[in-house]
Amino acid sequence: MKQFLRNIFWFGLILLIGLSIKKMVTPFYLGNSAFKAKVKSFQKTSQHYNTIVFGSSHSYRQFNPSIFDSLMTDYNLSTYNIATAGTFNPESYYLYEHFLKTLDKDAIKYAFLELKPLNFYDWENTNTTRGSYWNTTSTLYYALNYINASNYDKIEKFNLTKIYLNSFLNSFVDTNILKGLFLKPSVRSKTGFVPLDKELSSKRRNNEFTLRYKTFHADTTVLKERITAARNIPQYYNSKDINKVHLSHLKYLISKSEQKGIHLFLLVPPRLKDNEYQEIIPLLNELPKGHSLELANYVENKTFYKTKNSFDIGHLNLKGANLFTEKCAELVMKKLQIP
């Protein structure tokens, strides 16, 4: 019996060491195949770019580098959109921070990163590679402190804590991530930008996007919810209800960017839900001047909430994306003039 227990102990120890080594040596982006494709493409031609965009589909599908660079001619920018669908806080923050480590100082001038609340996601997703690969010890520490500092009720805090703990554990035991070493996903655009309109003619995923498009345009009254959320933004500007853990982490990312010679812009996109704005808008006044870009306020950005510029309830079409990019360029130029 003692020998059996010893064997179990040594087997468990060797397994734990092996899984820990696996996690340490696995490329930081391996669990996100779309991001892997983009970062590999960027690395091959990195000398051609000095500006980078990180975030979810709100950036991937709406930030057009060609438009942006054409409007920022005085700054001689060349932008690559490395954002990927479904990439939220903390995954997006994790990817950005680790991406910084791969850069030489002054290789990039500017970076854009979506400002989003901590992601709520389903328990089932915590057991997937995509839902856990980014959950390192430091990410878990950030997430748990974020949850503790939040205004979520006790049940929400308990459920979120369970989700992030399970995700962290899965990141150790998950071996499916190693399949990513052999995948060679392709990049669909030289600039990394692919508007949602293009998916309507895509045979690969036509049904999903066509359904989203048709469902929304059959009843555009659902957009009123997002318009109401955008109208509510002004009441959050001077709110002191701030998640200090989130704020501290954003300042940390700004500082790490500056060490690499990068000016980081934290971007608030349009068409989010009211509870998201309620949480992130108060952070803007607490961030260092010149680092926040808010493009969601309905009064100043009505064009982003018009049906003719919409693909679905949460996203702009190509016309809307180009207008969004133009507005972003306008705000960036103003920010860069702030001493």
Side-chain angles (χ1 to χ4, degrees):
M1 185 64 177
K2 289 183 178 180
Q3 184 60 41
F4 175 74
L5 292 176
R6 286 197 199 97
N7 291 341
I8 291 293
F9 170 78
W10 287 112
F11 174 78
L13 182 60
I14 293 171
L15 179 63
L16 179 61
I17 292 173
L19 291 173
S20 298
I21 293 173
K22 183 256 324 180
K23 189 168 178 65
M24 287 188 291
V25 301
T26 300
F28 75 93
Y29 51 76
L30 197 58
N32 187 330
S33 60
F35 185 85
K36 174 185 176 181
K38 284 191 167 187
V39 77
K40 287 292 186 182
S41 176
F42 171 84
Q43 288 172 344
K44 289 178 181 178
T45 57
S46 60
Q47 69 275 15
H48 300 305
Y49 300 103
N50 57 22
T51 304
I52 202 81
V53 180
F54 274 74
S56 70
S57 57
H58 292 285
S59 294
Y60 169 37
R61 303 296 195 173
Q62 297 176 171
F63 195 110
N64 188 338
S66 298
I67 296 293
F68 185 73
D69 294 344
S70 69
L71 295 172
M72 300 289 293
T73 52
D74 289 347
Y75 295 89
N76 193 30
L77 300 187
S78 181
T79 306
Y80 188 81
N81 186 332
I82 204 168
T84 54
T87 306
F88 307 111
N89 169 21
E91 181 185 2
S92 59
Y93 294 3
Y94 161 87
L95 290 174
Y96 178 70
E97 181 180 356
H98 282 75
F99 177 80
L100 287 179
K101 296 176 182 178
T102 70
L103 298 175
D104 293 329
K105 193 174 187 306
D106 297 323
I108 295 292
K109 289 183 179 180
Y110 304 105
F112 295 84
L113 176 64
E114 277 181 37
L115 179 55
K116 298 292 287 290
L118 192 78
N119 190 28
F120 282 70
Y121 63 115
D122 296 333
W123 176 267
E124 291 76 13
N125 290 333
T126 66
N127 295 314
T128 66
T129 296
R130 180 65 193 274
S132 63
Y133 78 93
W134 42 265
N135 205 340
T136 61
T137 303
S138 59
T139 304
L140 179 66
Y141 180 79
Y142 159 69
L144 295 183
N145 278 286
Y146 185 113
I147 294 167
N148 185 56
S150 72
N151 289 326
Y152 307 148
D153 61 40
K154 291 182 179 180
I155 294 177
E156 286 178 319
K157 287 185 176 183
F158 177 72
N159 289 332
L160 271 175
T161 299
K162 285 198 307 180
I163 284 172
Y164 279 91
L165 284 173
N166 194 63
S167 167
F168 176 75
L169 293 174
N170 189 70
S171 71
F172 273 96
V173 301
D174 178 35
T175 55
N176 288 325
I177 191 173
L178 299 177
K179 295 178 182 177
L181 292 170
F182 308 101
L183 293 176
K184 294 183 178 180
S186 59
V187 176
R188 301 171 60 198
S189 166
K190 290 182 179 180
T191 63
F193 167 69
V194 180
L196 278 166
D197 308 52
K198 193 170 183 178
E199 303 295 352
L200 295 178
S201 60
S202 169
K203 295 180 180 179
R204 184 169 59 92
R205 300 180 67 183
N206 190 44
N207 290 337
E208 173 195 345
F209 291 101
T210 298
L211 179 62
R212 281 168 52 181
Y213 180 84
K214 289 183 176 179
T215 299
F216 170 76
H217 286 275
D219 180 16
T220 59
T221 59
V222 295
L223 189 57
K224 291 181 180 179
E225 172 197 326
R226 302 300 168 92
I227 292 175
T228 299
R231 288 183 184 276
N232 288 339
I233 286 176
Q235 67 182 288
Y236 305 138
Y237 283 143
N238 297 315
S239 171
K240 300 300 181 183
D241 188 10
I242 295 169
N243 188 312
K244 294 182 179 179
V245 172
H246 194 183
L247 177 62
S248 177
H249 194 65
L250 294 173
K251 289 182 176 180
Y252 165 77
L253 292 176
I254 290 173
S255 176
K256 297 296 287 187
S257 300
E258 289 176 344
Q259 291 173 24
K260 290 287 187 175
I262 299 171
H263 185 108
L264 175 62
F265 289 104
L266 295 163
L267 178 64
V268 180
R271 304 174 83 123
L272 301 183
K273 297 178 181 179
D274 188 54
N275 63 323
E276 294 180 281
Y277 289 133
Q278 188 173 359
E279 188 166 340
I280 61 177
I281 293 298
L283 296 169
L284 300 184
N285 286 335
E286 303 298 323
L287 291 170
K289 289 184 178 180
H291 288 276
S292 61
L293 297 174
E294 189 259 286
L295 292 93
N297 185 314
Y298 182 75
V299 174
E300 298 177 359
N301 301 289
K302 291 181 181 179
T303 189
F304 301 150
Y305 296 91
K306 293 182 177 180
T307 301
K308 65 180 181 179
N309 298 326
S310 304
F311 182 88
D312 59 22
I313 187 174
H315 298 86
L316 301 166
N317 58 20
L318 176 59
K319 181 180 178 181
N322 288 342
L323 291 171
F324 169 82
T325 306
E326 290 173 7
K327 182 67 173 181
C328 189
E330 176 187 329
L331 291 181
V332 167
M333 284 187 278
K334 289 181 179 178
K335 293 287 184 177
L336 293 180
Q337 294 169 7
I338 297 176

